[in-house]
Amino acid sequence: MKPSHIEHIGIAVENLDEAIKFWENVLGLKCYNIEEVADQKVRTAFIQLGEVKIELLEPTSTDSPIAGFLEKRGSGIHHLALAVDNADQALKEVEEKGLRLIDKQSRKGAENLNIGFVHPKSALGILMEFCSK
Ligand code: ZN
């Protein structure tokens, strides 16, 4: 397993529409997709920036993991997503190397990608996501 590139950077926001306006009106970029991921209780918006996407995440419920993050830390960078060939294989490999996983197996995330998270305590304080097509 070797990540090929940063697939996206996840940013937690209080208000998705306001956040989209910031990226569009201030930075001149375009949101190309808004999607609700019921499983993670978030509404997401995607902005393409070169090869990397910006994923804006707004909680849809007070028990969403993003709501917890916002409460503790406020709006800001939430996670870093690395593109790999096979998210399940990547999770298995880093677990064998002693890393703590949030997801033992990948699940379906936004944009129909297979995604799985590594615990930030095992990744230098970064909530790391693996994603594959
Ligand atoms: Zn993500």
Side-chain angles (χ1 to χ4, degrees):
M1 181 272 297
K2 191 174 169 194
S4 56
H5 60 279
I6 294 173
E7 214 282 335
H8 63 267
I9 297 168
I11 299 176
V13 302
E14 303 273 0
N15 183 309
L16 197 66
D17 300 322
E18 290 300 316
I20 292 168
K21 272 189 211 153
F22 172 83
W23 285 86
E24 291 194 333
N25 299 347
V26 179
L27 300 173
L29 297 166
K30 194 92 199 111
C31 167
Y32 68 89
N33 183 27
I34 296 176
E35 194 179 328
E36 187 166 337
V37 184
D39 174 48
Q40 288 161 75
K41 298 177 181 167
V42 290
R43 209 157 67 93
T44 65
F46 284 91
I47 291 147
Q48 191 77 44
L49 180 48
E51 194 178 8
V52 179
K53 294 172 207 160
I54 301 296
E55 178 187 44
L56 304 172
L57 301 141
E58 175 198 65
T60 54
S61 157
T62 51
D63 63 345
S64 161
I66 295 296
F69 179 90
L70 287 170
E71 203 168 294
K72 264 186 249 147
R73 315 255 303 258
S75 178
I77 293 181
H78 176 259
H79 67 271
L80 186 68
L82 306 178
V84 292
D85 287 339
N86 182 320
D88 281 306
Q89 185 62 32
L91 290 167
K92 191 167 161 259
E93 280 186 38
V94 298
E95 189 178 36
E96 280 165 7
K97 289 177 180 169
L99 272 62
R100 192 169 133 202
L101 303 181
I102 291 175
D103 299 305
K104 290 262 179 196
Q105 279 194 321
S106 73
R107 50 198 161 92
K108 281 288 174 198
E111 303 204 302
N112 206 34
L113 292 171
N114 301 309
I115 65 153
F117 285 95
V118 177
H119 199 283
K121 284 235 161 34
S122 285
L124 304 173
I126 294 165
L127 176 57
M128 206 165 69
E129 174 183 347
F130 290 128
C131 27
S132 62
K133 286 187 178 152

